[in-house]
Amino acid sequence: MSNFRGIILEGYSNAGKTSVLKALKQLHASDDAERSVIVLSEHYSQVLHKVNGELKSLSRDEHLQVLRERVTMLKMLNNWSREIGQTQRSKGLFFILERFHLNHRVAFSHSISDEIKELEAQLFEMGARCTLLTVSSENLEQRISSRNPNEWEGKTMEEMKLACELLLEQQQEYRSQAENSIIPTIEINTDNKDWDSYAKQIYLFNSHERT
């Protein structure tokens, strides 16, 4: 799988994953890069889903099945490209995943299974490299309120304080789980919202790890 590689974006809801994902797609399109690229947003892999307007949380086994299906799909597509022969321009299959293995680890931190470790080993062999997006504590309130302004109208300072504390706890849990994963991970602070710069950092990290 030497020509197989990809990026995994992780972090909580206010860290800027969607903005960085958009910047990564634009950077990839402007580069003389692989024509074979697969981008899967968090809707295809996260634990929480909206069903008929209501949030549904997958169980650990349900989520593992979702992740297994996504990894199997990527491997099958990569095998197909190798079987038919890659074009001269192609450098191999390239993928970008949003909310994947760390999302699982954080959601089920008290029951980490061998299955997620096996999936991570497969992702590592597939050339996956992870970026954890974070926000400084002093910028959390602004980032939370700007994401859904109407939701925070009329809310108390105590409610905002609790929301910030929860996100800080989640952020630290992401860090801890990243250290326990076999997949190489960098952390990028997104306080400045310089999405294009972050995308370039991620691309460089992915390239250097493969050399």
Side-chain angles (χ1 to χ4, degrees):
M1 297 187 183
S2 58
N3 292 327
F4 205 5
R5 64 194 183 99
I7 294 166
I8 301 174
L9 289 179
E10 296 277 8
Y12 55 81
S13 299
N14 305 86
K17 294 188 306 301
T18 300
S19 297
V20 171
L21 180 62
K22 180 180 179 181
L24 281 170
K25 289 191 288 186
Q26 292 175 337
L27 178 62
H28 183 86
S30 65
D31 188 19
D32 183 23
E34 300 88 341
R35 285 183 293 179
S36 302
V37 56
I38 297 172
V39 181
L40 293 180
S41 70
E42 60 189 20
H43 305 293
Y44 292 90
S45 57
Q46 65 184 355
V47 175
L48 285 174
H49 291 274
K50 272 195 174 182
V51 180
N52 297 323
E54 295 184 2
L55 283 176
K56 176 187 176 183
S57 180
L58 299 179
S59 68
R60 188 188 70 172
D61 290 341
E62 287 173 334
H63 191 238
L64 280 169
Q65 182 61 29
V66 168
L67 299 186
R68 278 194 293 264
E69 290 172 356
R70 304 298 176 260
V71 169
T72 298
M73 177 201 69
L74 291 172
K75 292 170 72 174
M76 289 176 65
L77 290 172
N78 187 63
N79 290 338
W80 169 256
S81 69
R82 295 173 65 185
E83 288 174 4
I84 64 174
Q86 297 169 349
T87 63
Q88 184 176 2
R89 179 182 167 188
S90 177
K91 302 174 184 177
L93 189 66
F94 182 75
F95 59 89
I96 303 175
L97 305 175
E98 184 184 13
R99 271 191 173 157
F100 214 79
H101 66 297
L102 291 187
N103 182 233
H104 180 91
R105 280 178 166 271
V106 171
F108 306 105
S109 59
H110 299 297
S111 56
I112 300 297
S113 64
D114 290 336
E115 286 90 341
I116 189 62
K117 296 177 183 178
E118 292 171 3
L119 274 172
E120 288 173 344
Q122 293 181 54
L123 287 165
F124 178 81
E125 290 299 317
M126 291 161 60
R129 302 298 181 257
C130 180
T131 297
L132 173 60
L133 303 178
T134 60
V135 180
S136 299
S137 58
E138 58 269 22
N139 290 315
L140 277 179
E141 182 173 339
Q142 185 277 332
R143 191 68 68 90
I144 292 173
S145 59
S146 65
R147 181 178 174 88
N148 295 302
N150 294 333
E151 181 181 332
W152 287 97
E153 288 184 2
K155 294 289 183 70
T156 65
M157 292 181 61
E158 184 63 25
E159 287 174 309
M160 174 59 75
K161 179 182 177 182
L162 289 174
C164 291
E165 290 176 350
L166 176 61
L167 289 183
L168 282 176
E169 290 176 6
Q170 291 179 337
Q171 185 166 272
Q172 188 55 46
E173 185 62 31
Y174 270 104
R175 290 189 179 114
S176 299
Q177 293 300 335
E179 291 178 358
N180 294 329
S181 173
I182 191 176
I183 300 176
T185 303
I186 58 169
E187 179 179 328
I188 294 181
N189 180 284
T190 63
D191 285 354
N192 294 328
K193 299 183 180 180
D194 190 354
W195 313 121
D196 292 337
S197 174
Y198 306 149
K200 291 176 182 177
Q201 290 181 55
I202 294 168
Y203 254 88
L204 283 174
F205 173 63
N206 185 272
S207 299
H208 290 165
E209 282 288 325
R210 299 292 290 168
T211 58

